[in-house]
Amino acid sequence: MTIRDKFEEMKEHHEGRKEYRHELREERKLEHELKHDVKEGIKEVGKYDKELGHELKKEAKADYKEYKKDEKEAEKYAKAINKGMRELEDEERKQQHEFAEMLKKQMENE
């Protein structure tokens, strides 16, 4: 092997190492970009989850308010119905009492 052959061999080896280092650098760069993209994706998902959670909380609060409103309205109607029933019962008792009085007077008259 001549010196020139040895030189060419070393030059090829050096070029090969250079390419290898370049490829390694590119690989690391891509890996870094991928990690960065993953972190950004995680942040986006976190932000989306927060927004979604906030939205769900708002909806739940609105649903609860609607439920409470319906409950109050139902309570109001129940009170009105109970009041009406009491009035009807009072009226019925009054009529029964009047009827009993009328029967009593008829019995006394006979």
Side-chain angles (χ1 to χ4, degrees):
M1 182 177 275
T2 65
I3 295 178
R4 185 145 192 88
D5 291 340
K6 189 72 170 163
F7 176 74
E8 288 298 323
E9 189 180 305
M10 287 175 68
K11 188 176 176 185
E12 284 176 25
H13 179 71
H14 178 70
E15 289 296 319
R17 298 273 300 151
K18 214 167 147 183
E19 282 180 37
Y20 173 74
R21 283 194 305 268
H22 182 70
E23 287 172 4
L24 196 59
R25 227 179 281 124
E26 285 296 315
E27 200 175 292
R28 286 181 185 149
K29 185 178 175 184
L30 288 173
E31 189 177 318
H32 178 73
E33 287 174 4
L34 181 63
K35 282 181 184 178
H36 180 72
D37 290 347
V38 167
K39 283 181 183 178
E40 287 298 313
I42 290 170
K43 282 181 185 176
E44 284 296 315
V45 167
K47 187 188 290 184
Y48 177 73
D49 284 349
K50 255 187 193 175
E51 290 171 2
L52 186 62
H54 182 67
E55 197 63 36
L56 287 173
K57 189 176 178 182
K58 267 172 96 171
E59 288 175 13
K61 197 172 184 180
D63 289 347
Y64 183 73
K65 281 184 179 179
E66 185 75 25
Y67 164 76
K68 280 298 193 182
K69 182 180 172 189
D70 291 346
E71 192 177 63
K72 282 182 182 180
E73 197 170 314
E75 209 172 280
K76 186 173 91 176
Y77 285 125
K79 283 180 182 179
I81 289 170
N82 288 339
K83 183 179 178 187
M85 292 297 287
R86 275 193 306 267
E87 288 174 357
L88 283 173
E89 288 170 355
D90 290 345
E91 186 67 33
E92 193 177 306
R93 272 192 234 113
K94 185 178 175 184
Q95 287 176 357
Q96 285 176 353
H97 184 68
E98 288 173 359
F99 185 70
E101 288 291 320
M102 186 178 78
L103 281 177
K104 189 177 176 183
K105 283 183 185 178
Q106 269 184 351
M107 299 275 285
E108 288 175 359
N109 287 339
E110 291 179 0

